[in-house]
Amino acid sequence: MACETSIKNPTTNQLPLLERQLDDYFARINQPLPALGEHTGTVRVDEFIGQVMHLAARLPEAEAVINLCDNRYLFTLGFCAALLRGQTNLLPQNRALATQQQLLDQYPHSYVLHDGLETLLDGCTQRNLNQLDLRAAAATAIPTIPADQLAAIAFTSGSTGQPKANLKPWHTFVTSSRMNAQAMLGDNYLDQLRFALATVPAQHMWGLETSLLLPLFARLCISDARPLFPQDVANALQQLPAPRLLISTPVHLRALVSSGVTMPQAAHLLCATAPLSTELAQATETCFDGELIEVYGCSEVGSMARRRTAQGDVWQLFEGLEFAEELSVIRGDHLPQQQPVQDRIETRDGRTFRLLGRSDDMIEIAGKRGSLQEMNKLLLATPGVVDGVVFMPEHGTQAVTRPVALVVATTASKQDISARFAAHLDPVFMPRPLLLVDALPREDNGKLPRAKLLAFYRQLRGH
């Protein structure tokens, strides 16, 4: 039986819901939404706040809300409306029925918010935003939220597959969003209006920070579109005025760059969730004729550092954060607690650093040491490879456990990939087996949890 969790939201000092001018552009609606009377086009900040307040008054009494809205704008409306009602946003790693049941068991005083999801638990309290009329008068003031209110609990898939709860008070989001805006967009983040498109979902931390929170605290007008295929991305960008900002992941950028589709200019690009190679960063900047900033972070802390990967491998730590305890933890005044750093860090001044791989990245075979990170970089830089992963499988009955490679390729053959590995790796590190697959079981945010990967590999091997 799941353990019930009660959420306490104290009333303390107040912080604004957003820091924007009321007459500024906030979002662009591409999809006709019944909740907005099929309206498409631009939404101003005052119109957005009016809709948030209108929705907040219509939400059920509860401690928490499981926000499963797929449309980015409706997700943002629901997120902010819950804040106004003093409710905590529960952000699961997926929308599966088992995940819904697990959350409702753990947080019984909660309900589901969605925009037409068909796979819902029978009998649960739920609200379909597209069955409500959310049109409302424009607001004349910006509402405030208690600084210590538990704004969200973000659930991430741990290495065991057991979701881990990351608690996010509102003051943490406010401070980190101001830090992110300055680091990702520059000192003029409150002056220059940018029109943004994100290919990542808003429910996961990278999408939440950039496509929901950044528009609250920087001059971003965010599109509600989330295109997948290259031509759809090109069309969605073309519909936005300049200057454009594209928010994505390495696996998606690789697919866009290699597609051959001509992309409209995006003056700025933000990328995170997995390591980005210098070659892909340079190719992306050429493809979009813009500047690509790669962001390093984790779900517990959020975004932490940035680099212009096309020009170098050195990271710059965000202001307000610092390493401590011999680089083993990261801390900041806005964080609920200091957090361990999963990667090995090399730094001379404590502010700029290089990543040396995760603590579990180094493997040893036959007395020789190798890096899985370097093997993955080699694989993903192979011409004709669009996605792939090198990893260590579970220990079996064999005397020596070797790396495994699962590869999604367009023009590269198994022989081509093996030859590339052979040219750069000691023979003991050659991946065996090397399997070509149609796709990897990545989550919507581009990440590939080890538990999912191992289950996929067992399925491929027929176990």
Side-chain angles (χ1 to χ4, degrees):
M1 179 179 295
C3 178
E4 292 187 8
T5 302
S6 179
I7 297 171
K8 303 296 184 184
N9 275 319
T11 56
T12 60
N13 297 332
Q14 302 284 310
L15 288 172
L17 174 67
L18 48 76
E19 293 176 331
R20 298 286 303 275
Q21 297 297 317
L22 291 175
D23 60 351
D24 205 1
Y25 292 143
F26 180 80
R28 285 177 68 93
I29 310 300
N30 294 274
Q31 176 185 347
L33 300 171
L36 302 180
E38 309 291 336
H39 164 81
T40 60
T42 305
V43 178
R44 296 191 314 270
V45 172
D46 58 350
E47 294 171 325
F48 167 72
I49 296 174
Q51 293 165 10
V52 168
M53 297 173 68
H54 186 68
L55 173 58
R58 285 155 180 78
L59 293 180
E61 288 288 341
E63 289 184 357
V65 53
I66 305 171
N67 193 335
L68 301 182
C69 290
D70 185 60
N71 178 271
R72 192 179 310 278
Y73 185 73
L74 293 182
F75 179 88
T76 304
L77 276 180
F79 185 96
C80 293
L83 290 178
L84 290 193
R85 284 293 296 271
Q87 299 173 359
T88 297
N89 287 274
L90 303 179
L91 308 177
Q93 70 274 28
N94 59 57
R95 298 181 175 88
L97 287 174
T99 301
Q100 295 178 41
Q101 186 65 66
Q102 186 177 30
L103 284 180
L104 287 169
D105 287 344
Q106 189 172 1
Y107 302 91
H109 303 294
S110 61
Y111 63 97
V112 174
L113 199 64
H114 66 102
D115 52 2
L117 186 65
E118 295 181 357
T119 52
L120 282 171
L121 288 173
D122 292 336
C124 71
T125 302
Q126 56 88 19
R127 291 290 186 276
N128 180 349
L129 294 192
N130 274 319
Q131 292 179 349
L132 302 176
D133 186 349
L134 300 183
R135 291 172 291 182
T140 58
I142 295 174
T144 59
I145 309 295
D148 285 344
Q149 179 174 319
L150 186 56
I153 303 177
F155 296 88
T156 57
S157 298
S159 58
T160 63
Q162 183 66 28
K164 178 182 178 182
N166 298 291
L167 278 58
K168 305 292 183 179
W170 182 237
H171 73 84
T172 295
F173 274 153
V174 172
T175 302
S176 63
S177 296
R178 293 166 178 164
M179 292 163 47
N180 293 346
Q182 195 281 327
M184 297 179 191
L185 304 177
D187 293 333
N188 67 343
Y189 70 88
L190 285 175
D191 301 322
Q192 169 141 41
L193 179 64
R194 296 173 173 89
F195 292 85
L197 175 71
T199 68
V200 292
Q203 287 89 345
H204 300 285
M205 278 305 299
W206 174 234
L208 186 77
E209 283 194 305
T210 52
S211 69
L212 189 155
L213 293 168
L214 266 189
L216 296 178
F217 294 93
R219 289 198 71 197
L220 279 191
C221 179
I222 185 72
S223 169
D224 73 335
R226 183 160 68 95
L228 174 64
F229 298 108
Q231 190 59 60
D232 294 334
V233 173
N235 293 342
L237 276 174
Q238 192 64 56
Q239 294 173 13
L240 297 179
R244 304 181 186 97
L245 168 69
L246 178 63
I247 302 161
S248 195
T249 65
V251 66
H252 207 170
L253 290 179
R254 189 176 300 110
L256 298 178
V257 168
S258 63
S259 69
V261 173
T262 300
M263 292 292 167
Q265 188 206 30
H268 308 278
L269 301 99
L270 296 174
C271 177
T273 73
L276 180 69
S277 69
T278 300
E279 295 80 8
L280 179 56
Q282 292 170 344
T284 300
E285 291 198 351
T286 299
C287 179
F288 289 92
D289 189 24
E291 179 180 303
L292 170 62
I293 298 299
E294 183 181 6
V295 177
Y296 169 68
C298 63
S299 298
E300 294 82 1
V301 177
S303 297
M304 297 163 46
R306 53 158 280 165
R307 69 180 180 183
R308 178 92 179 271
T309 312
Q311 297 183 350
D313 64 350
V314 177
W315 295 93
Q316 176 68 49
L317 192 65
F318 288 1
E319 293 297 327
L321 294 171
E322 63 178 4
F323 292 116
E325 297 180 18
E326 298 182 346
L327 308 180
S328 64
V329 300
I330 189 86
R331 65 189 181 196
D333 290 341
H334 65 294
L335 298 176
Q337 60 190 36
Q338 64 182 23
Q339 295 291 342
V341 178
Q342 301 298 327
D343 293 276
R344 292 176 293 123
I345 302 293
E346 176 186 78
T347 180
R348 291 183 178 178
D349 58 10
R351 303 303 306 171
T352 58
F353 62 94
R354 286 184 172 88
L355 295 177
L356 303 180
R358 295 179 70 89
S359 55
D360 58 358
D361 169 66
M362 300 302 295
I363 59 174
E364 184 171 330
I365 301 176
K368 298 180 179 180
R369 289 171 62 81
S371 166
L372 287 173
Q373 183 181 45
E374 292 303 315
M375 296 177 204
N376 276 287
K377 287 172 63 176
L378 179 63
L379 172 62
L380 295 174
T382 303
V385 170
V386 295
D387 197 9
V389 61
V390 181
F391 66 100
M392 293 299 290
E394 297 168 303
H395 291 289
T397 57
Q398 66 271 32
V400 178
T401 302
R402 292 184 177 274
V404 172
L406 304 181
V407 186
V408 182
T410 51
T411 57
S413 66
K414 288 180 68 171
Q415 291 74 21
D416 295 333
I417 300 166
S418 293
R420 182 168 174 84
F421 279 133
H424 294 85
L425 298 179
D426 187 289
V428 300
F429 297 115
M430 285 287 291
R432 297 173 187 170
L434 189 160
L435 303 176
L436 296 181
V437 297
D438 293 332
L440 294 176
R442 293 189 180 276
E443 295 185 331
D444 288 343
N445 60 3
K447 292 189 176 182
L448 191 57
R450 179 168 172 80
K452 263 191 171 182
L453 181 60
L454 292 176
F456 182 62
Y457 178 58
R458 287 194 296 269
Q459 181 182 349
L460 291 174
R461 304 290 285 175
H463 297 312

mmCIF file with all atom_site columns, all heavy atoms in Angstrom, residues 72-91:
data_model
loop_
_atom_site.group_PDB
_atom_site.id
_atom_site.type_symbol
_atom_site.label_atom_id
_atom_site.label_alt_id
_atom_site.label_comp_id
_atom_site.label_asym_id
_atom_site.label_entity_id
_atom_site.label_seq_id
_atom_site.pdbx_PDB_ins_code
_atom_site.Cartn_x
_atom_site.Cartn_y
_atom_site.Cartn_z
_atom_site.occupancy
_atom_site.B_iso_or_equiv
_atom_site.pdbx_formal_charge
_atom_site.auth_seq_id
_atom_site.auth_comp_id
_atom_site.auth_asym_id
_atom_site.auth_atom_id
_atom_site.pdbx_PDB_model_num
ATOM 1   N N   . ARG A 1 72 ? 0.880   23.232 -24.427 1.00 0.00 ? 72 ARG A N   1
ATOM 2   C CA  . ARG A 1 72 ? 1.786   23.995 -23.562 1.00 0.00 ? 72 ARG A CA  1
ATOM 3   C C   . ARG A 1 72 ? 1.088   25.179 -22.905 1.00 0.00 ? 72 ARG A C   1
ATOM 4   O O   . ARG A 1 72 ? 1.318   25.477 -21.733 1.00 0.00 ? 72 ARG A O   1
ATOM 5   C CB  . ARG A 1 72 ? 2.984   24.478 -24.386 1.00 0.00 ? 72 ARG A CB  1
ATOM 6   C CG  . ARG A 1 72 ? 4.132   25.027 -23.526 1.00 0.00 ? 72 ARG A CG  1
ATOM 7   C CD  . ARG A 1 72 ? 5.302   25.468 -24.396 1.00 0.00 ? 72 ARG A CD  1
ATOM 8   N NE  . ARG A 1 72 ? 5.697   24.468 -25.362 1.00 0.00 ? 72 ARG A NE  1
ATOM 9   C CZ  . ARG A 1 72 ? 6.493   23.439 -25.091 1.00 0.00 ? 72 ARG A CZ  1
ATOM 10  N NH1 . ARG A 1 72 ? 6.964   23.295 -23.866 1.00 0.00 ? 72 ARG A NH1 1
ATOM 11  N NH2 . ARG A 1 72 ? 6.802   22.574 -26.032 1.00 0.00 ? 72 ARG A NH2 1
ATOM 12  N N   . TYR A 1 73 ? 0.237   25.881 -23.636 1.00 0.00 ? 73 TYR A N   1
ATOM 13  C CA  . TYR A 1 73 ? -0.430  27.054 -23.063 1.00 0.00 ? 73 TYR A CA  1
ATOM 14  C C   . TYR A 1 73 ? -1.423  26.634 -21.983 1.00 0.00 ? 73 TYR A C   1
ATOM 15  O O   . TYR A 1 73 ? -1.470  27.245 -20.902 1.00 0.00 ? 73 TYR A O   1
ATOM 16  C CB  . TYR A 1 73 ? -1.132  27.863 -24.151 1.00 0.00 ? 73 TYR A CB  1
ATOM 17  C CG  . TYR A 1 73 ? -1.738  29.138 -23.616 1.00 0.00 ? 73 TYR A CG  1
ATOM 18  C CD1 . TYR A 1 73 ? -0.927  30.207 -23.259 1.00 0.00 ? 73 TYR A CD1 1
ATOM 19  C CD2 . TYR A 1 73 ? -3.115  29.267 -23.444 1.00 0.00 ? 73 TYR A CD2 1
ATOM 20  C CE1 . TYR A 1 73 ? -1.473  31.382 -22.742 1.00 0.00 ? 73 TYR A CE1 1
ATOM 21  C CE2 . TYR A 1 73 ? -3.672  30.435 -22.934 1.00 0.00 ? 73 TYR A CE2 1
ATOM 22  C CZ  . TYR A 1 73 ? -2.839  31.487 -22.591 1.00 0.00 ? 73 TYR A CZ  1
ATOM 23  O OH  . TYR A 1 73 ? -3.384  32.647 -22.072 1.00 0.00 ? 73 TYR A OH  1
ATOM 24  N N   . LEU A 1 74 ? -2.200  25.582 -22.244 1.00 0.00 ? 74 LEU A N   1
ATOM 25  C CA  . LEU A 1 74 ? -3.149  25.122 -21.235 1.00 0.00 ? 74 LEU A CA  1
ATOM 26  C C   . LEU A 1 74 ? -2.420  24.557 -20.017 1.00 0.00 ? 74 LEU A C   1
ATOM 27  O O   . LEU A 1 74 ? -2.880  24.723 -18.878 1.00 0.00 ? 74 LEU A O   1
ATOM 28  C CB  . LEU A 1 74 ? -4.087  24.073 -21.833 1.00 0.00 ? 74 LEU A CB  1
ATOM 29  C CG  . LEU A 1 74 ? -5.057  24.578 -22.910 1.00 0.00 ? 74 LEU A CG  1
ATOM 30  C CD1 . LEU A 1 74 ? -5.971  23.448 -23.377 1.00 0.00 ? 74 LEU A CD1 1
ATOM 31  C CD2 . LEU A 1 74 ? -5.889  25.755 -22.395 1.00 0.00 ? 74 LEU A CD2 1
ATOM 32  N N   . PHE A 1 75 ? -1.300  23.894 -20.239 1.00 0.00 ? 75 PHE A N   1
ATOM 33  C CA  . PHE A 1 75 ? -0.494  23.420 -19.112 1.00 0.00 ? 75 PHE A CA  1
ATOM 34  C C   . PHE A 1 75 ? -0.051  24.594 -18.246 1.00 0.00 ? 75 PHE A C   1
ATOM 35  O O   . PHE A 1 75 ? -0.116  24.545 -17.014 1.00 0.00 ? 75 PHE A O   1
ATOM 36  C CB  . PHE A 1 75 ? 0.728   22.653 -19.630 1.00 0.00 ? 75 PHE A CB  1
ATOM 37  C CG  . PHE A 1 75 ? 1.627   22.139 -18.547 1.00 0.00 ? 75 PHE A CG  1
ATOM 38  C CD1 . PHE A 1 75 ? 1.411   20.890 -17.976 1.00 0.00 ? 75 PHE A CD1 1
ATOM 39  C CD2 . PHE A 1 75 ? 2.686   22.900 -18.074 1.00 0.00 ? 75 PHE A CD2 1
ATOM 40  C CE1 . PHE A 1 75 ? 2.236   20.416 -16.962 1.00 0.00 ? 75 PHE A CE1 1
ATOM 41  C CE2 . PHE A 1 75 ? 3.509   22.434 -17.066 1.00 0.00 ? 75 PHE A CE2 1
ATOM 42  C CZ  . PHE A 1 75 ? 3.289   21.186 -16.507 1.00 0.00 ? 75 PHE A CZ  1
ATOM 43  N N   . THR A 1 76 ? 0.392   25.679 -18.895 1.00 0.00 ? 76 THR A N   1
ATOM 44  C CA  . THR A 1 76 ? 0.848   26.863 -18.161 1.00 0.00 ? 76 THR A CA  1
ATOM 45  C C   . THR A 1 76 ? -0.303  27.510 -17.410 1.00 0.00 ? 76 THR A C   1
ATOM 46  O O   . THR A 1 76 ? -0.145  27.933 -16.250 1.00 0.00 ? 76 THR A O   1
ATOM 47  C CB  . THR A 1 76 ? 1.497   27.862 -19.128 1.00 0.00 ? 76 THR A CB  1
ATOM 48  O OG1 . THR A 1 76 ? 2.554   27.220 -19.845 1.00 0.00 ? 76 THR A OG1 1
ATOM 49  C CG2 . THR A 1 76 ? 2.058   29.064 -18.385 1.00 0.00 ? 76 THR A CG2 1
ATOM 50  N N   . LEU A 1 77 ? -1.462  27.606 -18.045 1.00 0.00 ? 77 LEU A N   1
ATOM 51  C CA  . LEU A 1 77 ? -2.644  28.145 -17.363 1.00 0.00 ? 77 LEU A CA  1
ATOM 52  C C   . LEU A 1 77 ? -2.961  27.331 -16.112 1.00 0.00 ? 77 LEU A C   1
ATOM 53  O O   . LEU A 1 77 ? -3.195  27.880 -15.032 1.00 0.00 ? 77 LEU A O   1
ATOM 54  C CB  . LEU A 1 77 ? -3.852  28.121 -18.299 1.00 0.00 ? 77 LEU A CB  1
ATOM 55  C CG  . LEU A 1 77 ? -4.056  29.264 -19.288 1.00 0.00 ? 77 LEU A CG  1
ATOM 56  C CD1 . LEU A 1 77 ? -5.320  29.016 -20.097 1.00 0.00 ? 77 LEU A CD1 1
ATOM 57  C CD2 . LEU A 1 77 ? -4.157  30.602 -18.560 1.00 0.00 ? 77 LEU A CD2 1
ATOM 58  N N   . GLY A 1 78 ? -2.983  25.999 -16.256 1.00 0.00 ? 78 GLY A N   1
ATOM 59  C CA  . GLY A 1 78 ? -3.296  25.141 -15.118 1.00 0.00 ? 78 GLY A CA  1
ATOM 60  C C   . GLY A 1 78 ? -2.260  25.240 -14.019 1.00 0.00 ? 78 GLY A C   1
ATOM 61  O O   . GLY A 1 78 ? -2.608  25.265 -12.826 1.00 0.00 ? 78 GLY A O   1
ATOM 62  N N   . PHE A 1 79 ? -0.993  25.301 -14.400 1.00 0.00 ? 79 PHE A N   1
ATOM 63  C CA  . PHE A 1 79 ? 0.093   25.411 -13.426 1.00 0.00 ? 79 PHE A CA  1
ATOM 64  C C   . PHE A 1 79 ? -0.068  26.674 -12.593 1.00 0.00 ? 79 PHE A C   1
ATOM 65  O O   . PHE A 1 79 ? 0.005   26.647 -11.360 1.00 0.00 ? 79 PHE A O   1
ATOM 66  C CB  . PHE A 1 79 ? 1.430   25.413 -14.179 1.00 0.00 ? 79 PHE A CB  1
ATOM 67  C CG  . PHE A 1 79 ? 2.648   25.392 -13.299 1.00 0.00 ? 79 PHE A CG  1
ATOM 68  C CD1 . PHE A 1 79 ? 3.286   24.194 -12.999 1.00 0.00 ? 79 PHE A CD1 1
ATOM 69  C CD2 . PHE A 1 79 ? 3.177   26.567 -12.789 1.00 0.00 ? 79 PHE A CD2 1
ATOM 70  C CE1 . PHE A 1 79 ? 4.418   24.171 -12.198 1.00 0.00 ? 79 PHE A CE1 1
ATOM 71  C CE2 . PHE A 1 79 ? 4.310   26.557 -11.986 1.00 0.00 ? 79 PHE A CE2 1
ATOM 72  C CZ  . PHE A 1 79 ? 4.928   25.349 -11.685 1.00 0.00 ? 79 PHE A CZ  1
ATOM 73  N N   . CYS A 1 80 ? -0.287  27.804 -13.261 1.00 0.00 ? 80 CYS A N   1
ATOM 74  C CA  . CYS A 1 80 ? -0.374  29.089 -12.562 1.00 0.00 ? 80 CYS A CA  1
ATOM 75  C C   . CYS A 1 80 ? -1.676  29.228 -11.783 1.00 0.00 ? 80 CYS A C   1
ATOM 76  O O   . CYS A 1 80 ? -1.693  29.811 -10.688 1.00 0.00 ? 80 CYS A O   1
ATOM 77  C CB  . CYS A 1 80 ? -0.212  30.235 -13.561 1.00 0.00 ? 80 CYS A CB  1
ATOM 78  S SG  . CYS A 1 80 ? 1.445   30.324 -14.296 1.00 0.00 ? 80 CYS A SG  1
ATOM 79  N N   . ALA A 1 81 ? -2.770  28.672 -12.320 1.00 0.00 ? 81 ALA A N   1
ATOM 80  C CA  . ALA A 1 81 ? -4.042  28.721 -11.596 1.00 0.00 ? 81 ALA A CA  1
ATOM 81  C C   . ALA A 1 81 ? -3.950  27.929 -10.295 1.00 0.00 ? 81 ALA A C   1
ATOM 82  O O   . ALA A 1 81 ? -4.473  28.345 -9.249  1.00 0.00 ? 81 ALA A O   1
ATOM 83  C CB  . ALA A 1 81 ? -5.167  28.182 -12.471 1.00 0.00 ? 81 ALA A CB  1
ATOM 84  N N   . ALA A 1 82 ? -3.278  26.787 -10.346 1.00 0.00 ? 82 ALA A N   1
ATOM 85  C CA  . ALA A 1 82 ? -3.089  25.996 -9.127  1.00 0.00 ? 82 ALA A CA  1
ATOM 86  C C   . ALA A 1 82 ? -2.281  26.779 -8.093  1.00 0.00 ? 82 ALA A C   1
ATOM 87  O O   . ALA A 1 82 ? -2.577  26.726 -6.890  1.00 0.00 ? 82 ALA A O   1
ATOM 88  C CB  . ALA A 1 82 ? -2.391  24.677 -9.472  1.00 0.00 ? 82 ALA A CB  1
ATOM 89  N N   . LEU A 1 83 ? -1.282  27.521 -8.542  1.00 0.00 ? 83 LEU A N   1
ATOM 90  C CA  . LEU A 1 83 ? -0.498  28.348 -7.623  1.00 0.00 ? 83 LEU A CA  1
ATOM 91  C C   . LEU A 1 83 ? -1.391  29.355 -6.904  1.00 0.00 ? 83 LEU A C   1
ATOM 92  O O   . LEU A 1 83 ? -1.279  29.553 -5.688  1.00 0.00 ? 83 LEU A O   1
ATOM 93  C CB  . LEU A 1 83 ? 0.610   29.086 -8.375  1.00 0.00 ? 83 LEU A CB  1
ATOM 94  C CG  . LEU A 1 83 ? 1.775   28.262 -8.918  1.00 0.00 ? 83 LEU A CG  1
ATOM 95  C CD1 . LEU A 1 83 ? 2.738   29.164 -9.677  1.00 0.00 ? 83 LEU A CD1 1
ATOM 96  C CD2 . LEU A 1 83 ? 2.499   27.538 -7.800  1.00 0.00 ? 83 LEU A CD2 1
ATOM 97  N N   . LEU A 1 84 ? -2.272  30.009 -7.660  1.00 0.00 ? 84 LEU A N   1
ATOM 98  C CA  . LEU A 1 84 ? -3.159  31.005 -7.048  1.00 0.00 ? 84 LEU A CA  1
ATOM 99  C C   . LEU A 1 84 ? -4.084  30.381 -6.020  1.00 0.00 ? 84 LEU A C   1
ATOM 100 O O   . LEU A 1 84 ? -4.479  31.042 -5.059  1.00 0.00 ? 84 LEU A O   1
ATOM 101 C CB  . LEU A 1 84 ? -3.979  31.706 -8.128  1.00 0.00 ? 84 LEU A CB  1
ATOM 102 C CG  . LEU A 1 84 ? -3.244  32.659 -9.074  1.00 0.00 ? 84 LEU A CG  1
ATOM 103 C CD1 . LEU A 1 84 ? -4.246  33.493 -9.868  1.00 0.00 ? 84 LEU A CD1 1
ATOM 104 C CD2 . LEU A 1 84 ? -2.285  33.574 -8.332  1.00 0.00 ? 84 LEU A CD2 1
ATOM 105 N N   . ARG A 1 85 ? -4.433  29.106 -6.219  1.00 0.00 ? 85 ARG A N   1
ATOM 106 C CA  . ARG A 1 85 ? -5.307  28.420 -5.259  1.00 0.00 ? 85 ARG A CA  1
ATOM 107 C C   . ARG A 1 85 ? -4.533  27.797 -4.104  1.00 0.00 ? 85 ARG A C   1
ATOM 108 O O   . ARG A 1 85 ? -5.117  27.120 -3.253  1.00 0.00 ? 85 ARG A O   1
ATOM 109 C CB  . ARG A 1 85 ? -6.103  27.329 -5.991  1.00 0.00 ? 85 ARG A CB  1
ATOM 110 C CG  . ARG A 1 85 ? -7.245  27.865 -6.834  1.00 0.00 ? 85 ARG A CG  1
ATOM 111 C CD  . ARG A 1 85 ? -8.343  28.488 -5.988  1.00 0.00 ? 85 ARG A CD  1
ATOM 112 N NE  . ARG A 1 85 ? -8.999  27.524 -5.125  1.00 0.00 ? 85 ARG A NE  1
ATOM 113 C CZ  . ARG A 1 85 ? -10.047 26.798 -5.480  1.00 0.00 ? 85 ARG A CZ  1
ATOM 114 N NH1 . ARG A 1 85 ? -10.566 26.932 -6.698  1.00 0.00 ? 85 ARG A NH1 1
ATOM 115 N NH2 . ARG A 1 85 ? -10.586 25.942 -4.636  1.00 0.00 ? 85 ARG A NH2 1
ATOM 116 N N   . GLY A 1 86 ? -3.217  27.965 -4.081  1.00 0.00 ? 86 GLY A N   1
ATOM 117 C CA  . GLY A 1 86 ? -2.415  27.373 -3.017  1.00 0.00 ? 86 GLY A CA  1
ATOM 118 C C   . GLY A 1 86 ? -2.204  25.886 -3.180  1.00 0.00 ? 86 GLY A C   1
ATOM 119 O O   . GLY A 1 86 ? -1.875  25.180 -2.213  1.00 0.00 ? 86 GLY A O   1
ATOM 120 N N   . GLN A 1 87 ? -2.367  25.390 -4.395  1.00 0.00 ? 87 GLN A N   1
ATOM 121 C CA  . GLN A 1 87 ? -2.214  23.963 -4.661  1.00 0.00 ? 87 GLN A CA  1
ATOM 122 C C   . GLN A 1 87 ? -0.838  23.665 -5.246  1.00 0.00 ? 87 GLN A C   1
ATOM 123 O O   . GLN A 1 87 ? -0.244  24.496 -5.930  1.00 0.00 ? 87 GLN A O   1
ATOM 124 C CB  . GLN A 1 87 ? -3.308  23.490 -5.629  1.00 0.00 ? 87 GLN A CB  1
ATOM 125 C CG  . GLN A 1 87 ? -4.713  23.676 -5.082  1.00 0.00 ? 87 GLN A CG  1
ATOM 126 C CD  . GLN A 1 87 ? -5.795  23.378 -6.104  1.00 0.00 ? 87 GLN A CD  1
ATOM 127 O OE1 . GLN A 1 87 ? -5.513  23.043 -7.262  1.00 0.00 ? 87 GLN A OE1 1
ATOM 128 N NE2 . GLN A 1 87 ? -7.056  23.500 -5.699  1.00 0.00 ? 87 GLN A NE2 1
ATOM 129 N N   . THR A 1 88 ? -0.353  22.460 -5.006  1.00 0.00 ? 88 THR A N   1
ATOM 130 C CA  . THR A 1 88 ? 0.942   22.024 -5.513  1.00 0.00 ? 88 THR A CA  1
ATOM 131 C C   . THR A 1 88 ? 0.768   21.271 -6.822  1.00 0.00 ? 88 THR A C   1
ATOM 132 O O   . THR A 1 88 ? -0.075  20.367 -6.926  1.00 0.00 ? 88 THR A O   1
ATOM 133 C CB  . THR A 1 88 ? 1.645   21.113 -4.491  1.00 0.00 ? 88 THR A CB  1
ATOM 134 O OG1 . THR A 1 88 ? 1.893   21.867 -3.301  1.00 0.00 ? 88 THR A OG1 1
ATOM 135 C CG2 . THR A 1 88 ? 2.969   20.584 -5.035  1.00 0.00 ? 88 THR A CG2 1
ATOM 136 N N   . ASN A 1 89 ? 1.566   21.626 -7.820  1.00 0.00 ? 89 ASN A N   1
ATOM 137 C CA  . ASN A 1 89 ? 1.549   20.931 -9.101  1.00 0.00 ? 89 ASN A CA  1
ATOM 138 C C   . ASN A 1 89 ? 2.376   19.652 -9.013  1.00 0.00 ? 89 ASN A C   1
ATOM 139 O O   . ASN A 1 89 ? 3.581   19.704 -8.739  1.00 0.00 ? 89 ASN A O   1
ATOM 140 C CB  . ASN A 1 89 ? 2.134   21.825 -10.201 1.00 0.00 ? 89 ASN A CB  1
ATOM 141 C CG  . ASN A 1 89 ? 1.207   22.957 -10.587 1.00 0.00 ? 89 ASN A CG  1
ATOM 142 O OD1 . ASN A 1 89 ? 0.331   22.800 -11.427 1.00 0.00 ? 89 ASN A OD1 1
ATOM 143 N ND2 . ASN A 1 89 ? 1.404   24.118 -9.961  1.00 0.00 ? 89 ASN A ND2 1
ATOM 144 N N   . LEU A 1 90 ? 1.740   18.513 -9.221  1.00 0.00 ? 90 LEU A N   1
ATOM 145 C CA  . LEU A 1 90 ? 2.443   17.232 -9.281  1.00 0.00 ? 90 LEU A CA  1
ATOM 146 C C   . LEU A 1 90 ? 2.775   16.949 -10.741 1.00 0.00 ? 90 LEU A C   1
ATOM 147 O O   . LEU A 1 90 ? 1.874   16.894 -11.591 1.00 0.00 ? 90 LEU A O   1
ATOM 148 C CB  . LEU A 1 90 ? 1.575   16.116 -8.702  1.00 0.00 ? 90 LEU A CB  1
ATOM 149 C CG  . LEU A 1 90 ? 1.089   16.325 -7.265  1.00 0.00 ? 90 LEU A CG  1
ATOM 150 C CD1 . LEU A 1 90 ? 0.214   15.158 -6.824  1.00 0.00 ? 90 LEU A CD1 1
ATOM 151 C CD2 . LEU A 1 90 ? 2.261   16.504 -6.309  1.00 0.00 ? 90 LEU A CD2 1
ATOM 152 N N   . LEU A 1 91 ? 4.058   16.793 -11.042 1.00 0.00 ? 91 LEU A N   1
ATOM 153 C CA  . LEU A 1 91 ? 4.517   16.661 -12.420 1.00 0.00 ? 91 LEU A CA  1
ATOM 154 C C   . LEU A 1 91 ? 5.137   15.287 -12.618 1.00 0.00 ? 91 LEU A C   1
ATOM 155 O O   . LEU A 1 91 ? 6.342   15.087 -12.399 1.00 0.00 ? 91 LEU A O   1
ATOM 156 C CB  . LEU A 1 91 ? 5.533   17.763 -12.737 1.00 0.00 ? 91 LEU A CB  1
ATOM 157 C CG  . LEU A 1 91 ? 5.077   19.199 -12.424 1.00 0.00 ? 91 LEU A CG  1
ATOM 158 C CD1 . LEU A 1 91 ? 6.196   20.188 -12.723 1.00 0.00 ? 91 LEU A CD1 1
ATOM 159 C CD2 . LEU A 1 91 ? 3.820   19.551 -13.213 1.00 0.00 ? 91 LEU A CD2 1
#
